[in-house]
Amino acid sequence: MLATLLLAAPVTLQAASQTATDDAVAGQEADEATKDLDSVPEPVEQARLETRQQDDYGPYLTDREGMSLYLFAMEEPGGGSHCAQSCAIAWPPYATRQAPQAGEGVDADKLATLEREDGTRQVTYAGWPLYYFSGDKEAGDALGQGVHHLGAAWYLVSPDGERIERGQRQSSPDSPEGSPGD
């Protein structure tokens, strides 16, 4: 069934570009991303939100391993998730089996979950459903920042629960490859 879904609604991943279109996700060539498009990851046992600081963005939310978390500007806080099927393959939901925990700098009162159509519990912050970007490969990558895909942009999330609109998409500052387009 997943193979049929992928054939029916392919996700095209293209190289980084300032002119990313609605039907393409900038970041990787399609053959590089194939292994990441096999399925949506299983929920973690207990999600934990942390913060990370980068000059271009200021502080922003990550999971416990430092992987960037994003919001989808098409959604509204408290309005549920509109990202399913091929969207959820490119932008996997941050899902948990138990109630999420707040790390240092994260407001526990803003943490919650919502139930997705498939029954999994997606972590929310200040009402925003949280997602990973399949193009991020290591802690500190922010390759989904400002990408316009599926009708709206995707943004990192501040500890205040606001979208971060400043800064360009980039690989981890610690990455030997540097930023896309270098």
Side-chain angles (χ1 to χ4, degrees):
M1 181 173 152
L2 183 56
T4 303
L5 173 64
L6 289 175
L7 290 174
V11 174
T12 304
L13 298 178
Q14 298 178 339
S17 165
Q18 295 289 21
T19 59
T21 64
D22 263 1
D23 28 340
V25 176
Q28 298 176 310
E29 295 295 331
D31 60 339
E32 293 173 339
T34 301
K35 65 184 175 295
D36 297 330
L37 298 179
D38 290 337
S39 65
V40 176
E42 289 291 316
V44 296
E45 190 60 36
Q46 185 169 39
R48 180 178 173 90
L49 266 65
E50 301 287 345
T51 60
R52 183 177 186 100
Q53 174 85 28
Q54 287 192 40
D55 291 342
D56 287 352
Y57 316 120
Y60 63 94
L61 299 180
T62 70
D63 70 3
R64 71 176 69 232
E65 283 82 34
M67 296 301 292
S68 298
L69 296 168
Y70 300 89
L71 63 80
F72 186 26
M74 181 176 282
E75 297 174 339
E76 295 291 329
S81 173
H82 294 91
C83 183
Q85 300 174 358
S86 62
C87 175
I89 294 170
W91 301 93
Y94 186 30
T96 186
R97 288 188 177 91
Q98 298 180 35
Q101 294 179 328
E104 187 175 333
V106 176
D107 184 346
D109 292 336
K110 294 181 183 201
L111 267 175
T113 60
L114 64 83
E115 186 171 340
R116 295 180 55 81
E117 288 181 14
D118 63 5
T120 59
R121 293 171 54 192
Q122 183 172 359
V123 178
T124 64
Y125 192 75
W128 291 104
L130 299 178
Y131 302 90
Y132 293 106
F133 176 51
S134 64
D136 289 346
K137 299 301 175 197
E138 60 183 71
D141 282 355
L143 296 171
Q145 174 65 3
V147 169
H148 197 270
H149 184 222
L150 300 169
W154 296 78
Y155 296 106
L156 295 169
V157 184
S158 77
D160 293 331
E162 301 294 325
R163 64 184 180 200
I164 298 172
E165 295 185 22
R166 67 184 177 279
Q168 299 292 322
R169 54 191 306 272
Q170 66 183 16
S171 294
S172 167
D174 303 327
S175 172
E177 297 174 18
S179 299
D182 282 355

